[in-house]
Amino acid sequence: MAPTAFITGITGQDGSYLAELLVERGYDVHGMVRRSSVERFDRIEHLRERLTLHQGDLLDQRSLVDALRASRPAEIYNLAAMSFVAVSWVQPTLTAEFSGVGVTRLLEAMREVCPEAAFYQASSSEMFGKVREVPQTELTPFYPRSPYGVAKAYGHFITVNYRESYELRATSGILFNHESPRRGLEFVTRKIAWHAAAIKLGLIDKLPLGNLEAERDWGYARDYVEAMWLMLQQDVPEDYVIATGVAHSVRDCVEVAFDQAGISIDDHVVADPTLVRPAEVDHLIGDATKARERLGWEPKTDFEALIRLMVDADLKRLSR
Ligand code: NAP
Ligand code: G4F
């Protein structure tokens, strides 16, 4: 019989790629979706017939228990979160509810319904914040710099705590930034790719940006969901850093994107101080040695190829 997987955040960037991977591997894939007055399932539209969707919300315990009862999963992937760092200063307590306490709600639902399942928590390199060592590993202490980072640190530690308290097969994947043509338009790589394409096509003229010097370890989301799946195939649940081991600045991203679109930076990029964050994470770079050695995982797509494929996708989309 096909194994069953349950994904929260299935309508998001990672949820859609993970759902694709699991469907390809023969899983019976269930996902949790939120009710909205307008249905926004664009990222999973192509998979709809092969998915079973349940209404639910990380704020609502009843809905989590009912969704797990209806799906009886062997693997649970908790990808749902308020994932945009900048907005976490605008909605700090809601961010804590979704991205922090929501993890406890789902773990509690799992304990009640399917304690034998394997659980994946979508933890984040944002937890390293003002970094204590370079590069960051599974053992690097956290120093989060945003309400989002603080909420994710809670989500990480409650996952570790439930593993140790109740012997759950719970794993926390500490993933560094990962992007794709399905990335939300508010995140910097997609914003840059979309603007580069729109400027090239004469639709707009300016690209407003905040801190151009911030550095991130950017990988491709399609590569990273494979690591999530690999983590849940291990006999012993442990935590893993997933990263490329190479950092680039926002400025580098603009240079590659504009080169791909064939336009000049000087004429279009403008500084917008309202986009500078109250506290910044200046430099993130991960060491994924443990994932390479234990999971056999390696990133397949480098930064430059990633940004170029994102610009091409937006050029194609906007040309239609
Ligand atoms: P995303 O595109 O923003 O997707 C977030 C998903 O969470 C959406 O499906 C959203 O549903 C759902 N969601 C939000 N609040 C919810 C709630 N209260 N109840 C139920 N569902 C809710 O994020 P992503 O980039 O795919 O990231 C996936 C996960 O990995 C997130 O937890 C993120 O924090 C974490 N992460 C991401 C990265 C990265 O670089 N992408 C790195 C490290 C960790 P709607 O469609 O209804 O809004
Ligand atoms: O693309 P970003 O918004 O991603 P950020 O803040 O690193 O968070 C992402 O990665 C985390 C993993 O470390 C995830 F957990 C999280 O869910 C999310 O996926 O910003 C990247 C950098 C920041 O330093 C920001 O200050 O780009 C800088 N930046 C400069 N101008 C900008 C802009 N960011 C955005 N979003 N928009 C700008 O105009």
Side-chain angles (χ1 to χ4, degrees):
M1 211 170 76
T4 301
F6 179 82
I7 306 173
T8 72
I10 195 166
T11 56
Q13 171 190 258
D14 291 5
S16 67
Y17 284 117
L18 180 65
E20 251 170 50
L21 177 142
L22 294 173
V23 163
E24 274 164 23
R25 291 186 183 181
Y27 279 72
D28 179 14
V29 179
H30 292 240
M32 190 177 83
V33 292
R34 296 193 283 180
R35 196 251 159 204
S36 157
S37 65
V38 181
E39 207 176 79
R40 300 288 316 237
F41 296 166
D42 318 12
R43 294 184 178 110
I44 51 169
E45 209 47 66
H46 60 297
L47 292 172
R48 268 302 274 284
E49 287 169 14
R50 304 178 73 179
L51 305 175
T52 309
L53 301 181
H54 306 269
Q55 291 282 331
D57 197 299
L58 284 180
L59 299 182
D60 189 272
Q61 190 71 27
R62 172 84 268 140
S63 67
L64 299 178
V65 169
D66 286 350
L68 288 184
R69 279 215 178 105
S71 44
R72 291 273 162 195
E75 297 174 16
I76 299 172
Y77 297 86
N78 183 33
L79 308 187
M82 200 305 287
S83 75
F84 186 38
V85 172
V87 163
S88 73
W89 278 280
V90 182
Q91 300 181 330
T93 41
L94 191 63
T95 301
E97 284 289 345
F98 283 10
S99 311
V101 184
V103 185
T104 313
R105 291 196 191 92
L106 189 57
L107 284 163
E108 276 297 324
M110 171 181 163
R111 280 184 67 214
E112 191 176 323
V113 177
C114 47
E116 68 297 336
F119 180 90
Y120 174 85
Q121 168 57 17
S123 291
S124 166
S125 53
E126 183 73 13
M127 300 186 302
F128 295 122
K130 191 171 178 178
V131 297
R132 305 284 88 187
E133 71 179 339
V134 178
Q136 294 84 53
T137 73
E138 294 78 7
L139 300 176
T140 303
F142 300 148
Y143 192 144
R145 293 271 280 171
S146 60
Y148 168 85
V150 173
K152 281 287 176 183
Y154 173 94
H156 168 81
F157 280 123
I158 202 71
T159 302
V160 173
N161 180 261
Y162 269 48
R163 174 169 78 217
E164 294 174 356
S165 304
Y166 304 116
E167 296 184 3
L168 297 183
R169 288 176 58 209
T171 289
S172 172
I174 306 173
L175 272 53
F176 282 63
N177 299 51
H178 45 280
E179 320 292 312
S180 74
R182 293 187 199 165
R183 187 62 144 149
L185 277 166
E186 66 276 36
F187 297 94
V188 80
T189 55
R190 179 74 201 291
K191 179 177 176 179
I192 292 168
W194 187 91
H195 278 73
I199 292 168
K200 173 69 179 176
L201 297 173
L203 304 174
I204 56 165
D205 189 45
K206 297 291 177 217
L207 164 56
L209 284 173
N211 179 10
L212 287 173
E213 309 315 323
E215 292 184 310
R216 292 289 184 277
D217 179 335
W218 277 297
Y220 185 25
R222 209 183 261 288
D223 295 344
Y224 284 41
V225 298
E226 167 110 39
M228 297 177 188
W229 177 79
L230 283 167
M231 285 181 220
L232 294 204
Q233 309 315 305
Q234 307 308 303
D235 292 333
V236 180
E238 287 188 41
D239 307 323
Y240 295 88
V241 158
I242 300 297
T244 69
V246 183
H248 290 274
S249 65
V250 173
R251 188 182 298 280
D252 294 340
C253 181
V254 178
E255 278 169 9
V256 175
F258 277 45
D259 180 67
Q260 185 67 7
I263 51 177
S264 124
I265 297 179
D266 301 338
D267 302 338
H268 305 287
V269 176
V270 291
D272 182 344
T274 66
L275 295 169
V276 175
R277 296 176 179 180
E280 178 62 289
V281 172
D282 297 316
H283 177 81
L284 289 176
I285 182 165
D287 177 352
T289 302
K290 180 177 172 186
R292 191 174 61 245
E293 290 180 357
R294 305 260 190 96
L295 306 177
W297 179 85
E298 291 214 29
K300 300 185 186 90
T301 315
D302 70 14
F303 169 76
E304 196 170 320
L306 168 67
I307 302 303
R308 289 187 189 282
L309 76 80
M310 288 175 70
V311 173
D312 285 349
D314 275 323
L315 278 168
K316 201 167 156 192
R317 219 177 323 219
L318 290 173
S319 304
R320 270 189 220 126

